[in-house]
Amino acid sequence: MKNIKLFDPVVEKTEINAVVKTIKSKKWASGDGKNQVFKFEEKFRKFVNSKACVAVNSGTSALHLAASLCDIKNKEVILPSLSFVSTAHAVIYNGGIPVFADIDPETLCINVEDVKRKISKKTKCIIPVHFGGMPAEIKKLQKLKSNLMVIEDAAHACGAKIDGKMIGSGGDFVCFSYHPVKNLAMPAGGSITINHKNYKKMELDLKSKRWCGISDRIGSDYDVDKIGWNFYMNELSASIGLSQLKKLNKLNKKRKKIAKIYHRELNVPRKMPFLANCSYHLYWICVKNRDSFRKKLFDKGIETGIHYKPIHKMSFYKKSIELPITEEIGKSIVTIPMHPNLNDSDVDKVIRIINKFV
Ligand SMILES: Cc1ncc(COP(=O)(O)O)c(C=O)c1O
């Protein structure tokens, strides 16, 4: 019996040919982002319609660098606890203080009313997560306080839209991940799209920070005028990304089709809503007796996951705060197979088995 995978990147001849070509070119990496990386940045910038795009080596690095533009040292940053831990790490990397807010029970994105309650004099920034590709309420968040910076964690939201416009086209700082399980898959990668009024300066700043702080390079001569990291994207990732980008809309359409069927057919007490603007990086349901439920699915060859154990439950971040919806969802959420390689009979089987054991 072939397992039905939870996540599974689409690999076709185009990706394989792109990798072979890049390997043969022997141009595998360059700190100043020439060749495929530059091409990817340009194409992705046009795809989302942002003013600038800086490619990096992961979504974590994208968040780290975006937060470095927001002057958050000793300031509070409000974020959801139901996310991958990188969302919070980006705050710590930059000397900020994470403040966790609860989530909306329908979308599992950050709850605007709870953010309002948590805003203080020290609040500098909010990092909403487009959870599973479901658009967070960015416009409402932007209006909560003057001079508030908003960094969108769009790791799940490649190709998702807000009010019909691509996520990345409007927000000041939007961070994408191209981890192999993501909608646009690479071995490793991420990017920051920028629409801030100082986007040109910020783009240059991040291009320097992603390569150890190197600036003003002419030939072999260069200066280092700030601390930076080795965060640049490699050429192999970029060449795969260019191929994935061409088919992203098609792949997302397939994800949406599956989500629509799951939403219609699954008899579970709580499940991810259906929304045409969502990119459906994942599909979640909530169940009681999660461990035994997951084991039953595993025995039937269906992989599942938990996205996520809330960050404030991790020992590094442990805090006795009350986040009732996050706690409830954190105990019961299960992610079920969602990727464009699922065929009709896989989807039928997932639905049949879930409805039997829930
Ligand atoms: C919500 C969220 N933010 C950030 C990241 C970090 O991305 P990466 O794994 O590319 O560093 C992830 C990746 O899993 C994520 O799911």
Side-chain angles (χ1 to χ4, degrees), residues 342-353:
L342 292 172
N343 60 33
D344 291 350
S345 86
D346 294 332
V347 174
D348 284 350
K349 180 173 169 182
V350 171
I351 292 165
R352 185 166 40 81
I353 301 293

Side-chain angles (χ1 to χ4, degrees), residues 14 34 106 151 202 228 230 245 265 303 332:
T14 45
K34 282 189 295 219
E106 279 275 306
I151 299 171
M202 290 171 162
N230 189 337
L245 184 56
E265 303 289 335
E303 292 181 7
S332 56

